[in-house]
Amino acid sequence: MSKSIKGVANLEGLRLRLCDADGQVVGRFASQIAQILMGKDKPTYSPEKDDGDVVVVVNAEKIEFTGRKWDKKLYQWHTGYPGGLKERTAKEQLAREPTKVLKNAVMGMLPKNNLRRSMARKLRIFPGEDHDFVGHPALVVHQMPPRTLRHKGDVFVAPEGFEPFNPEVYWKKMKRMEESNKIKSQRKNAGE
Protein backbone atom coordinates (compact mmCIF):
# COMPACT_ATOMS: atom_id res chain seq x y z
CA MET A 1 0.00 0.00 0.00
CA SER A 2 1.26 3.46 -0.88
CA LYS A 3 2.15 5.74 2.01
CA SER A 4 1.26 8.92 0.10
CA ILE A 5 -2.20 10.46 0.11
CA LYS A 6 -3.59 12.31 -2.89
CA GLY A 7 -3.86 16.06 -2.27
CA VAL A 8 -1.59 16.07 0.80
CA ALA A 9 1.90 17.30 -0.08
CA ASN A 10 3.91 16.27 2.98
CA LEU A 11 2.95 13.44 5.36
CA GLU A 12 6.04 13.75 7.53
CA GLY A 13 5.03 13.92 11.20
CA LEU A 14 1.32 13.50 10.44
CA ARG A 15 -0.97 10.77 11.68
CA LEU A 16 -4.15 9.46 10.13
CA ARG A 17 -6.92 9.73 12.71
CA LEU A 18 -9.81 7.30 12.26
CA CYS A 19 -13.04 8.74 13.71
CA ASP A 20 -16.34 6.89 13.92
CA ALA A 21 -19.39 9.14 13.39
CA ASP A 22 -21.92 6.55 14.53
CA GLY A 23 -24.29 8.23 17.01
CA GLN A 24 -22.27 11.48 17.16
CA VAL A 25 -23.99 14.88 17.12
CA VAL A 26 -22.98 16.85 14.01
CA GLY A 27 -21.85 20.11 15.62
CA ARG A 28 -19.88 18.58 18.48
CA PHE A 29 -18.26 16.04 16.18
CA ALA A 30 -17.39 18.68 13.55
CA SER A 31 -15.73 20.93 16.14
CA GLN A 32 -13.51 18.04 17.29
CA ILE A 33 -12.56 17.24 13.70
CA ALA A 34 -11.81 20.90 12.94
CA GLN A 35 -9.44 21.08 15.92
CA ILE A 36 -7.55 18.02 14.68
CA LEU A 37 -7.35 19.41 11.11
CA MET A 38 -5.99 22.73 12.40
CA GLY A 39 -3.50 20.95 14.66
CA LYS A 40 -4.80 22.54 17.87
CA ASP A 41 -4.40 19.26 19.74
CA LYS A 42 -0.61 19.35 19.24
CA PRO A 43 1.87 21.26 21.41
CA THR A 44 3.47 22.65 18.22
CA TYR A 45 0.28 24.46 17.14
CA SER A 46 0.81 27.67 15.24
CA PRO A 47 -2.07 29.44 13.46
CA GLU A 48 0.02 30.30 10.39
CA LYS A 49 1.02 26.66 9.73
CA ASP A 50 -0.92 23.70 8.44
CA ASP A 51 0.30 21.02 10.85
CA GLY A 52 -3.00 19.21 11.44
CA ASP A 53 -3.41 15.48 11.04
CA VAL A 54 -5.35 13.69 8.31
CA VAL A 55 -8.85 12.74 9.52
CA VAL A 56 -10.65 9.69 8.16
CA VAL A 57 -14.33 9.62 9.14
CA VAL A 58 -16.42 6.45 8.79
CA ASN A 59 -20.19 5.91 9.25
CA ALA A 60 -21.08 9.45 8.17
CA GLU A 61 -24.59 8.27 7.30
CA LYS A 62 -25.23 7.45 10.99
CA ILE A 63 -24.59 10.99 12.26
CA GLU A 64 -27.28 12.66 14.40
CA PHE A 65 -28.80 16.08 14.97
CA THR A 66 -30.39 17.26 18.20
CA GLY A 67 -33.91 18.62 18.43
CA ARG A 68 -35.87 19.11 15.22
CA LYS A 69 -32.90 20.00 13.04
CA TRP A 70 -33.53 17.08 10.66
CA ASP A 71 -36.62 18.95 9.42
CA LYS A 72 -35.80 22.58 10.31
CA LYS A 73 -32.17 22.93 9.15
CA LEU A 74 -31.92 23.99 5.51
CA TYR A 75 -29.02 23.75 3.08
CA GLN A 76 -29.41 26.54 0.52
CA TRP A 77 -27.56 27.39 -2.69
CA HIS A 78 -28.20 29.45 -5.78
CA THR A 79 -27.93 28.22 -9.37
CA GLY A 80 -26.99 31.64 -10.70
CA TYR A 81 -30.20 32.09 -12.65
CA PRO A 82 -33.14 34.31 -11.66
CA GLY A 83 -35.34 32.49 -9.15
CA GLY A 84 -32.69 29.80 -8.76
CA LEU A 85 -32.57 29.61 -4.97
CA LYS A 86 -32.57 25.92 -4.07
CA GLU A 87 -32.87 24.35 -0.65
CA ARG A 88 -32.95 20.94 1.04
CA THR A 89 -33.64 19.87 4.59
CA ALA A 90 -30.94 18.04 6.53
CA LYS A 91 -32.86 14.75 6.17
CA GLU A 92 -33.02 15.12 2.37
CA GLN A 93 -29.35 16.11 2.20
CA LEU A 94 -28.30 13.06 4.25
CA ALA A 95 -30.35 10.74 2.03
CA ARG A 96 -28.85 12.27 -1.12
CA GLU A 97 -25.21 12.82 -0.08
CA PRO A 98 -24.42 11.46 3.41
CA THR A 99 -20.91 12.93 3.51
CA LYS A 100 -21.97 16.47 2.60
CA VAL A 101 -23.74 17.19 5.92
CA LEU A 102 -20.60 16.60 7.97
CA LYS A 103 -18.29 18.22 5.42
CA ASN A 104 -20.33 21.46 5.45
CA ALA A 105 -20.26 21.54 9.25
CA VAL A 106 -16.48 21.04 9.40
CA MET A 107 -15.80 23.57 6.62
CA GLY A 108 -17.78 26.17 8.55
CA MET A 109 -15.50 25.65 11.56
CA LEU A 110 -12.17 25.91 9.73
CA PRO A 111 -10.45 29.31 9.52
CA LYS A 112 -11.44 31.42 6.51
CA ASN A 113 -7.95 31.98 5.09
CA ASN A 114 -5.50 30.51 2.57
CA LEU A 115 -4.86 27.41 4.70
CA ARG A 116 -8.49 26.34 4.64
CA ARG A 117 -8.25 24.47 1.34
CA SER A 118 -5.16 22.48 2.37
CA MET A 119 -6.81 21.61 5.70
CA ALA A 120 -9.96 20.49 3.89
CA ARG A 121 -7.91 18.16 1.69
CA LYS A 122 -6.91 16.26 4.81
CA LEU A 123 -10.53 15.42 5.60
CA ARG A 124 -11.72 12.11 4.14
CA ILE A 125 -15.33 11.16 4.83
CA PHE A 126 -16.88 7.77 4.03
CA PRO A 127 -20.62 7.00 4.37
CA GLY A 128 -20.16 3.45 5.68
CA GLU A 129 -17.65 1.29 7.55
CA ASP A 130 -15.35 0.73 4.55
CA HIS A 131 -12.54 3.20 3.86
CA ASP A 132 -9.46 3.41 1.65
CA PHE A 133 -6.88 3.51 4.45
CA VAL A 134 -7.17 -0.01 5.90
CA GLY A 135 -3.70 -1.22 6.87
CA HIS A 136 -2.05 2.20 6.50
CA PRO A 137 0.97 2.36 8.84
CA ALA A 138 0.08 5.79 10.29
CA LEU A 139 -3.61 5.02 10.99
CA VAL A 140 -4.58 5.71 14.62
CA VAL A 141 -8.08 5.24 16.05
CA HIS A 142 -9.22 8.51 17.65
CA GLN A 143 -11.65 8.29 20.55
CA MET A 144 -14.04 11.21 20.70
CA PRO A 145 -14.89 12.48 24.19
CA PRO A 146 -18.22 11.11 25.44
CA ARG A 147 -21.28 13.27 25.10
CA THR A 148 -22.37 14.57 28.46
CA LEU A 149 -25.95 15.58 29.00
CA ARG A 150 -26.56 18.43 31.40
CA HIS A 151 -28.69 17.44 34.36
CA LYS A 152 -31.35 20.05 35.02
CA GLY A 153 -32.83 18.32 38.07
CA ASP A 154 -36.46 17.64 38.77
CA VAL A 155 -37.93 20.79 37.26
CA PHE A 156 -41.55 19.76 37.26
CA VAL A 157 -43.45 17.65 39.75
CA ALA A 158 -46.92 16.74 38.51
CA PRO A 159 -49.83 17.26 40.94
CA GLU A 160 -52.38 14.51 41.67
CA GLY A 161 -54.64 13.72 38.72
CA PHE A 162 -52.37 15.45 36.18
CA GLU A 163 -52.89 14.41 32.56
CA PRO A 164 -50.33 15.71 30.04
CA PHE A 165 -51.53 17.40 26.87
CA ASN A 166 -49.19 15.24 24.77
CA PRO A 167 -48.61 11.98 26.72
CA GLU A 168 -46.03 10.50 24.31
CA VAL A 169 -43.71 13.49 24.52
CA TYR A 170 -44.24 13.84 28.28
CA TRP A 171 -43.33 10.21 29.05
CA LYS A 172 -40.31 10.35 26.73
CA LYS A 173 -39.09 13.41 28.59
CA MET A 174 -39.67 11.79 31.97
CA LYS A 175 -37.81 8.65 30.83
CA ARG A 176 -34.88 10.78 29.62
CA MET A 177 -34.76 12.58 32.99
CA GLU A 178 -34.68 9.26 34.84
CA GLU A 179 -31.84 7.98 32.63
CA SER A 180 -29.78 11.14 33.18
CA ASN A 181 -30.38 10.83 36.94
CA LYS A 182 -29.07 7.24 36.84
CA ILE A 183 -25.97 8.31 34.89
CA LYS A 184 -25.30 11.16 37.30
CA SER A 185 -25.61 8.87 40.34
CA GLN A 186 -23.30 6.29 38.70
CA ARG A 187 -20.68 8.98 38.07
CA LYS A 188 -21.02 10.21 41.63
CA ASN A 189 -20.56 6.65 42.95
CA ALA A 190 -17.56 6.05 40.66
CA GLY A 191 -15.89 9.25 41.89
CA GLU A 192 -16.18 8.32 45.58
Side-chain angles (χ1 to χ4, degrees):
M1 166 152 250
S2 173
K3 291 185 181 181
S4 65
I5 296 174
K6 185 178 178 183
V8 181
N10 187 10
L11 279 177
E12 189 175 325
L14 297 184
R15 294 174 288 182
L16 269 78
R17 305 278 192 96
L18 180 66
C19 302
D20 190 6
D22 188 9
Q24 296 283 342
V25 178
V26 174
R28 293 181 182 101
F29 190 60
S31 65
Q32 293 288 326
I33 291 172
Q35 284 184 354
I36 295 169
L37 290 172
M38 289 186 276
K40 282 192 169 185
D41 60 333
K42 294 182 176 182
T44 58
Y45 170 71
S46 182
E48 69 272 2
K49 293 181 185 174
D50 181 21
D51 287 340
D53 292 332
V54 178
V55 179
V56 179
V57 180
V58 294
N59 291 325
E61 62 192 7
K62 296 179 183 175
I63 200 103
E64 292 180 4
F65 275 112
T66 56
R68 297 180 184 165
K69 292 188 192 96
W70 283 119
D71 300 318
K72 299 280 184 179
K73 184 170 178 57
L74 296 175
Y75 291 92
Q76 298 179 331
W77 69 97
H78 202 283
T79 61
Y81 290 97
L85 183 65
K86 303 280 187 177
E87 62 183 30
R88 282 187 202 135
T89 63
K91 191 183 290 183
E92 293 168 352
Q93 184 75 358
L94 187 79
R96 205 169 170 122
E97 298 176 68
T99 61
K100 201 83 167 190
V101 173
L102 189 58
K103 186 166 182 118
N104 284 349
V106 173
M107 290 299 288
M109 294 182 189
L110 291 177
K112 280 69 172 175
N113 57 23
N114 294 339
L115 295 175
R116 183 181 199 188
R117 194 173 289 163
S118 64
M119 289 178 189
R121 278 191 212 111
K122 293 180 183 178
L123 177 63
R124 305 300 165 103
I125 304 175
F126 299 94
E129 289 275 342
D130 302 330
H131 58 90
D132 299 340
F133 302 98
V134 177
H136 199 282
L139 190 66
V140 178
V141 176
H142 179 72
Q143 288 293 331
M144 291 292 171
R147 179 179 171 203
T148 55
L149 296 173
R150 184 178 54 181
H151 176 69
K152 297 179 184 176
D154 296 333
V155 179
F156 175 71
V157 178
E160 283 288 322
F162 172 76
E163 289 187 29
F165 180 70
N166 191 343
E168 292 175 14
V169 173
Y170 175 77
W171 291 116
K172 265 187 192 176
K173 196 172 198 176
M174 295 307 283
K175 185 178 178 185
R176 218 176 309 135
M177 275 180 33
E178 288 173 9
E179 289 173 1
S180 66
N181 286 341
K182 285 179 187 176
I183 292 170
K184 189 175 180 183
S185 64
Q186 288 172 354
R187 285 185 186 158
K188 204 181 273 187
N189 294 337
E192 292 178 358

